[in-house]
Amino acid sequence: MTEMSRRHALTLFAAVGGAAGLGAPVRALSGDPIYEAFQANARNDPWTLGVRDAPASGFDGEARRLHGRLPRGLSGTLYRNGPGRYSRQDWRYRHWFDGDGFLQAWQLDGNRIAHRGRFIETSKWQAEEAAGRFLTPAFGSMPPDAGGLTGPDDMNVANTSVMMLNGELLALWEGGSAWSLDADTLQARGPRRWGSGLDGVHFSAHPKVEPETDIVWNFGQDAHGGRLVLWKIGPDGTLLDAGLVDEIGTGMIHDFIITERSLVFLVGNLHHERLRLPFLDGFAWRGDVPMTAIAIDKNDWSQRRSWDLPPGFLFHFGGGWEERDGTIRLDAALSPNADVILEDVRDIMRGVPWAGNSRMQLVTLGARGHFRIETPGDGLAEFPQVDPRYTGKRRQYTWHVDWTPDQARGATAIARRNVLTGAFDHYDHGPGVYVEEPLFIPASRRSAEGEGWIVHTALNAEARATELHVFDALNLSAGPQASWRLPYACPFGFHGCWRG
Ligand SMILES: [Fe+2]
């Protein structure tokens, strides 16, 4: 990274730190209506077990086998990350994304599954545990008497995803550093440092690994400045390059895809309009401008192509690839508006299940600037996953969480879509089993695309317990090959990774 780029990166860091002066302290009120609403809903609805505070000391337990056997070859650890602490001193966060990161490790060993859950001991977690109250602004909330920020990592909850990088476990957020953890003990080591001048620079939660080279690509967004920082990291964890690209636009970006030639972003219509705290309150829906697709050349970050698409919003892509003529094909869980992040995810904090409105859509970005968007099914979808060996390549399958528009209580099904033929395979656990991200694990290094297992966790509301289900990834409709149940319920998480 050049000295000039480093100075730009530091500006990015300072801009976020500078937002600290903007928030007026909110005084503690007697009786927090959101906390009380959650308590009332929690008495009647076991779905709320997925969004209550996890015990500060975490979980240690063993799952009980309900049926089936672990397939031969499926041994390793499923890590999952998500928010786990929402309230202190009877005051509750306003937004699901604010909760402190809670990491779970499901260790599949022979025919035994051991489970651990631990809070990620970020600087924020440690300071707030010592103080007994929330101390900093959060992404979507201003706790009573929240103090200022010296930099983004002061409010880093490390709660969004998790990845293995050369034996190191990284808990990922998107508004600051990745947080380094010991993969065996889950002990926090501190913010991941990539090089001088880069501390606290945004490192998003969906890095992509090139299958042949194991090079890791990622980005960080300065939404207010309409800029991205791009990260290129070697398989041994050393920084190969980092730098800024300008004039991206101010729409929120959570995920991206890589192809063999490009880094591709969809800049949705939830735009950062003003600097204020909580950070989310600075965003507003702009339906009067296009959603833009931007493809940046991997080898020359000053080279880009762009497309104007109908307004929309998304969190996640399945994946994508680039044809020889430069046409890009991708699939993403697209929404017509940003109600999920602006409304549904706030309702969750009162103990009201989310509805959601995203559908898997296939987007073709033509070599001559034209585009096509297709919607292959009627169902709603989130948390898409692909076979990681096909990241950036032409492929067949996307697995995702699946539900219907009339199902306003969270998803109970998982699905597989063949993006080339449209063929659909699906399994519904039925009412009260709320499914989480289905992760694909290849059967072996040499197995064909999709040959392996889908592993996902779910809250069984009636049993008041979290379960783990294993499927043949190419035959979901046959139902789980094996299912296991913990003696307790864990908080819902967002994303996970597999360490074989
Ligand atoms: Fe995500």
Side-chain angles (χ1 to χ4, degrees), residues 125-438:
W125 168 261
Q126 292 183 32
E128 292 180 343
E129 275 291 277
R133 67 182 186 91
F134 291 130
L135 297 172
T136 67
F139 169 71
S141 310
M142 280 296 284
D145 295 320
L149 299 169
T150 60
D153 284 339
D154 289 357
M155 57 181 283
N156 190 337
V157 284
N159 70 357
T160 312
S161 189
V162 58
M163 76 178 294
M164 289 299 300
L165 180 63
N166 195 30
E168 179 182 6
L169 191 64
L170 296 177
L172 306 173
W173 191 49
E174 65 186 22
S177 301
W179 216 268
S180 177
L181 306 171
D182 185 297
D184 296 318
T185 65
L186 310 186
Q187 199 78 40
R189 293 169 169 157
R192 180 59 155 83
R193 301 190 192 286
W194 304 104
S196 78
L198 294 169
D199 289 356
V201 174
H202 299 190
F203 190 87
S204 288
H206 292 284
K208 299 290 181 284
V209 183
E210 275 181 2
E212 283 86 10
T213 63
D214 287 333
I215 285 173
V216 179
W217 293 91
N218 199 12
F219 73 97
Q221 185 181 24
D222 167 18
H224 187 71
R227 301 178 299 178
L228 298 177
V229 58
L230 300 182
W231 299 95
K232 183 181 181 186
I233 295 159
D236 62 352
T238 58
L239 182 70
L240 300 178
D241 202 359
L244 278 168
V245 291
D246 291 311
E247 296 177 30
I248 292 295
T250 55
M252 185 183 282
I253 304 173
H254 176 74
D255 191 6
F256 75 126
I257 61 160
I258 61 172
T259 70
E260 283 171 358
R261 286 167 44 189
S262 308
L263 313 173
V264 185
F265 300 86
L266 287 189
V267 186
N269 289 67
L270 186 65
H271 282 253
H272 198 261
E273 303 269 276
R274 54 198 169 273
L275 271 177
R276 59 181 299 182
L277 292 173
F279 191 62
L280 179 60
D281 287 2
F283 284 88
W285 179 256
R286 290 276 314 274
D288 56 331
V289 294
M291 172 165 68
T292 53
I294 299 175
I296 296 171
D297 190 319
K298 273 179 171 173
N299 296 317
D300 179 355
W301 298 350
S302 70
Q303 297 296 314
R304 69 171 74 171
R305 294 175 286 157
S306 66
W307 295 259
D308 285 351
L309 307 179
F313 176 80
L314 74 158
F315 289 116
H316 301 119
F317 292 94
W321 69 88
E322 195 157 337
E323 310 281 7
R324 214 169 273 168
D325 69 352
T327 299
I328 292 169
R329 301 201 60 194
L330 61 88
D331 65 340
L334 281 164
S335 296
N337 54 47
D339 290 356
V340 167
I341 190 167
L342 297 177
E343 294 175 19
D344 292 22
V345 166
R346 287 187 166 120
D347 289 344
I348 287 174
M349 288 294 88
R350 293 190 288 113
V352 177
W354 65 299
N357 60 6
S358 49
R359 295 172 194 274
M360 289 311 292
Q361 298 190 303
L362 306 172
V363 180
T364 303
L365 303 171
R368 281 181 227 91
H370 62 285
F371 71 87
R372 189 170 73 241
I373 299 178
E374 299 156 273
T375 309
D378 298 329
L380 301 175
E382 244 304 351
F383 298 110
Q385 287 286 313
V386 302
D387 183 330
R389 300 168 302 167
Y390 288 78
T391 298
K393 297 176 161 191
R394 185 180 174 88
R395 66 172 212 292
Q396 299 177 77
Y397 305 121
T398 300
W399 292 267
H400 58 81
V401 159
D402 179 70
W403 70 105
T404 54
D406 61 350
Q407 204 175 344
R409 289 191 51 85
T412 58
I414 56 167
R416 174 175 57 99
R417 170 79 63 187
N418 185 319
V419 297
L420 300 180
T421 67
F424 189 67
D425 175 26
H426 153 270
Y427 181 80
D428 193 340
H429 288 275
V433 179
Y434 301 108
V435 303
E436 303 184 86
E437 177 184 77

